[in-house]
Amino acid sequence: VNFATANGLEIVGHTLVWCYQRPGWVKDRIDSGALDKAAALDLQDDHIQKVMARYKDRVKTWDVVNEALADGPGPELLRSDPWSDLCGVDYVVEAFRSARRADPEAKLLYNDYNLDFPEKRTRLFRLLALLKEQGVRVDGVGIQGHMQVSRPRLAELETAIVKIHAAGYPVHITELDLDVYSRGEGADVRRIESGEETGYAELPDELQARLAECYADLFRVFVKHADKIERVTFWNVDDGNTWLNNWPVKGRRNHPLLFDRAQRPKPTFWKVVANADAAVSDTPV
């Protein structure tokens, strides 16, 4: 944060509340019945107040709640985890209220994955409507950009951008990367986890070209809808530091970003720049 501040760079705080970021003692106290809903929400408020106070006037945008929504076709609004099961939707409501008290001028966002799927997007709009009914303002929605070269889902992503913006929420493209490996469901994931797919030490030229074209296609969509999108954020900078080197195969080399392991721009980088430059004279980027 000090480096960014000194160099005039904007910081986005990610994330204040996420089900996978709770200390083990919290789950232990929930499981034992030692932590009730009121006490849990007090803990959450204390956490948000302290973190946002530390970075006030330096961090202007926060992903307040991350990945709260359930997946799949069922009627559930929220994913099931100990915190959500204890507090219900109130934990989302109170998280935004706490963040607004901590910094009334900050931009407060909800962030989630699979918002290009209609079922998940329907849940999103249910949650946003509930927050609005409670008098809680959400300043934008983050659409996570973890995608696959084999299945980029461009049309579905474009639909999500248009519909979320039409509902009154500026769009933020977050956590952008493109997995170069095919990734399926169920048995396919188990096969990969078994180690049968060892990956590429270096990306073959054909796949490098496909990755570059996929990113170019993505940025054509982003530039087309630049009036709806406030930012695009990558999920790390270079291939040596991507989470995909460890998921779903521990230690497998992935190549999902614009810079290689030596932090040199890949062909993908120049494709992105070319598509942004081609439109900059006509469209704000």
Side-chain angles (χ1 to χ4, degrees):
V1 172
N2 289 337
F3 172 85
T5 303
N7 287 277
L9 302 174
E10 182 181 351
I11 292 287
V12 176
H14 177 90
T15 174
L16 291 169
V17 179
W18 185 36
C19 64
Y20 292 120
Q21 260 183 349
R22 305 200 189 282
W25 61 265
V26 170
K27 182 179 183 301
D28 292 343
R29 290 182 64 186
I30 291 173
D31 290 346
S32 69
L35 189 66
D36 63 15
K37 177 178 175 178
L41 293 177
D42 283 344
L43 283 174
Q44 177 177 278
D45 179 65
D46 183 64
H47 165 71
I48 291 171
Q49 297 295 324
K50 286 179 178 176
V51 172
M52 291 186 69
R54 179 180 175 89
Y55 297 104
K56 192 172 182 180
D57 300 323
R58 293 189 292 166
V59 178
K60 307 289 189 180
T61 302
W62 291 90
D63 293 336
V64 177
V65 178
N66 187 53
E67 298 181 0
L69 296 171
D71 293 300
E76 300 84 3
L77 177 63
L78 302 181
R79 70 158 73 222
S80 178
D81 65 73
W83 194 267
S84 177
D85 294 345
L86 176 65
C87 300
V89 76
D90 285 346
Y91 92 84
V92 181
V93 173
E94 294 306 321
F96 276 94
R97 285 178 174 160
S98 295
R100 188 65 67 193
R101 285 196 304 274
D103 188 350
E105 303 304 317
K107 188 175 292 183
L108 305 181
L109 311 178
Y110 177 77
N111 189 62
D112 216 323
Y113 63 93
N114 281 358
L115 296 180
D116 51 332
F117 286 83
E119 302 92 344
K120 192 74 170 274
R121 200 161 54 246
T122 297
R123 288 190 177 93
L124 170 70
F125 291 142
R126 284 172 56 197
L127 178 62
L128 293 172
L130 188 153
L131 290 167
K132 191 172 184 179
E133 289 169 5
Q134 295 289 321
V136 173
R137 189 178 91 235
V138 177
D139 298 316
V141 171
I143 301 176
Q144 289 186 20
H146 298 302
M147 305 179 78
Q148 301 171 55
V149 170
S150 59
R151 296 189 298 175
R153 294 180 57 83
L154 293 172
E156 295 87 348
L157 176 61
E158 184 169 15
T159 297
I161 292 167
V162 170
K163 291 195 171 185
I164 291 170
H165 184 266
Y169 298 92
V171 171
H172 296 240
I173 304 297
T174 69
E175 307 187 30
L176 181 61
D177 52 27
L178 275 169
D179 192 339
V180 300
Y181 302 107
S182 298
R183 188 168 73 241
E185 303 294 337
D188 290 336
V189 171
R190 286 194 295 272
R191 177 183 61 80
I192 292 172
E193 289 174 340
S194 73
E196 292 178 28
E197 190 169 318
T198 57
Y200 303 106
E202 301 295 335
L203 204 57
D205 290 346
E206 179 183 356
L207 193 48
Q208 187 85 265
R210 189 161 24 140
L211 177 70
E213 196 53 49
C214 257
Y215 266 116
D217 289 341
L218 271 173
F219 273 82
R220 290 185 191 107
V221 172
F222 298 156
V223 169
K224 177 181 176 182
H225 296 287
D227 60 324
K228 306 174 182 66
I229 298 172
E230 292 198 349
R231 69 175 164 104
V232 176
T233 304
F234 288 86
W235 203 230
N236 227 310
V237 177
D238 67 88
D239 292 339
N241 290 294
T242 171
W243 70 291
L244 289 168
N245 288 329
N246 292 295
W247 189 89
V249 180
K250 185 76 171 174
R252 184 181 65 182
R253 287 165 72 96
N254 212 311
H255 312 265
L257 295 165
L258 304 192
F259 294 84
D260 67 16
R261 282 166 169 74
Q263 299 185 341
R264 297 169 301 201
K266 293 156 61 176
T268 301
F269 172 85
W270 299 112
K271 278 278 192 179
V272 168
V273 170
N275 277 278
D277 284 347
V280 74
S281 60
D282 300 319
T283 308
V285 178

